[in-house]
Amino acid sequence: MMQTLDLSLASRAPKLDDRPLEKRVGLIILATDHTTEVDFQRMVANGRIGVYATRIPYANPVTPENLAAMQPSLTAGAALILPDEPLDVVMYSCTSASVVIGDAAVKAAIKAAKPTATVVTPTAAAVSGLKTLGAKRISVLTPYTLETSRPMADYFLALGFDIARFTCLGLSDDRDMARISPEEIVAFAKEATAPDCDALFISCTAVRAAGVAAQIEAAIGRPVVTSNLATAWACLRLCGDETARPALGRLMTRAYPGR
């Protein structure tokens, strides 16, 4: 015989915190991305900063045309992150698309859904990181084809950087870019670093370079900025986290410009 059970309401409604966590970082990532969420859970998420992700459609190969095709999805993607609730920072996790679409256009599209959030792109974060480290003459390593790399070279040149060496790995699928082993990233980083450069920038949020940035710095004797390292640094600092974490690389020991 089934037991008869009386259910009862508690004597009062529970008190609610304003937020489960003090700060909120939203990520807009590609449907094919293997790396960004893992890196941000490792480098950014903590007891006071929550990381909340949404994915938007993306079709390989990585070409300027396919990258630009993501722009119409940015506003809707941002709106899906904790709908109707404000975010402190929103980061769009595609370096090459940020170049093709443009930092300002990415910001405008995200602001349409999350007007109070600070928008971070890998390109703008990388530029801030390189300038913070005092780098003017840089080496660049990308996993892309020459066609996709050219707009990125032009982006840095237009912002006043000298490029000592620009190396492309020739890949066209971001899922393959995520599968480059850390050991291979270190090896290619050494080759890509010109002897007269101030720093090395490793592009692409799919590439697992942030996890070996400090190792590369030890090998080349110069600062290293990667897409995910730069955006993680920017998001942390914009959320008021000023903790120095030298094990992640020199950039993580520096303050964010304007703070």
Side-chain angles (χ1 to χ4, degrees):
M1 183 175 177
M2 185 177 293
Q3 178 185 1
T4 300
L5 182 64
D6 291 330
L7 305 182
S8 62
L9 286 172
S11 61
R12 60 179 179 82
K15 294 178 181 179
L16 303 180
D17 289 336
D18 181 50
R19 293 181 173 191
L21 292 173
E22 180 184 346
K23 296 293 184 178
R24 298 168 175 164
V25 174
L27 304 180
I28 300 175
I29 62 179
L30 280 56
T32 49
D33 187 314
H34 286 266
T35 308
T36 302
E37 283 175 299
V38 177
D39 274 352
F40 266 64
Q41 287 300 322
R42 176 174 60 87
M43 294 190 291
V44 177
N46 59 42
R48 59 179 291 274
I49 301 175
V51 175
Y52 308 93
T54 190
R55 289 177 178 258
I56 61 174
Y58 178 69
N60 277 293
V62 178
T63 63
E65 294 74 21
N66 285 348
L67 294 166
M70 282 187 280
Q71 184 172 356
S73 300
L74 292 175
T75 302
L80 286 172
I81 308 172
L82 303 181
D84 302 320
E85 297 195 59
L87 302 175
D88 297 286
V89 184
V90 177
M91 194 276 284
Y92 173 46
S93 191
C94 188
T95 319
S96 50
S98 295
V99 168
V100 172
I101 297 169
D103 292 320
V106 170
K107 179 179 179 179
I110 293 172
K111 285 276 193 180
K114 297 292 184 181
T116 63
T118 301
V119 177
V120 170
T121 64
T123 40
V127 168
S128 293
L130 289 166
K131 289 182 176 179
T132 295
L133 292 164
K136 296 180 179 179
R137 184 166 172 80
I138 62 173
S139 293
V140 180
L141 173 63
T142 84
Y144 319 125
T145 62
L146 294 174
E147 176 194 22
T148 301
S149 295
R150 174 55 62 185
M152 184 162 293
D154 293 340
Y155 175 89
F156 282 104
L157 290 171
L159 290 172
F161 289 94
D162 293 325
I163 298 179
R165 184 178 296 170
F166 198 113
T167 304
C168 314
L169 299 183
L171 299 179
S172 60
D173 191 315
D174 72 319
R175 296 164 297 184
D176 291 337
M177 298 173 193
R179 291 180 170 90
I180 304 171
S181 73
E183 294 77 17
E184 281 283 78
I185 294 169
V186 174
F188 279 111
K190 292 177 183 178
E191 292 181 15
T193 304
D196 61 341
C197 73
D198 301 321
L200 171 67
F201 172 58
I202 304 177
S203 182
C204 190
T205 57
V207 174
R208 292 175 287 165
V212 290
Q215 182 180 343
I216 296 169
E217 287 181 338
I220 66 174
R222 294 170 178 79
V224 171
V225 175
T226 83
S227 292
N228 288 354
L229 181 64
T231 54
W233 167 71
C235 288
L236 283 167
R237 299 298 187 255
L238 288 167
C239 287
D241 188 327
E242 302 292 342
T243 305
R245 298 166 69 184
L248 295 178
R250 296 187 201 181
L251 185 59
M252 279 292 190
T253 67
R254 301 301 181 90
Y256 190 73
R259 288 191 62 83

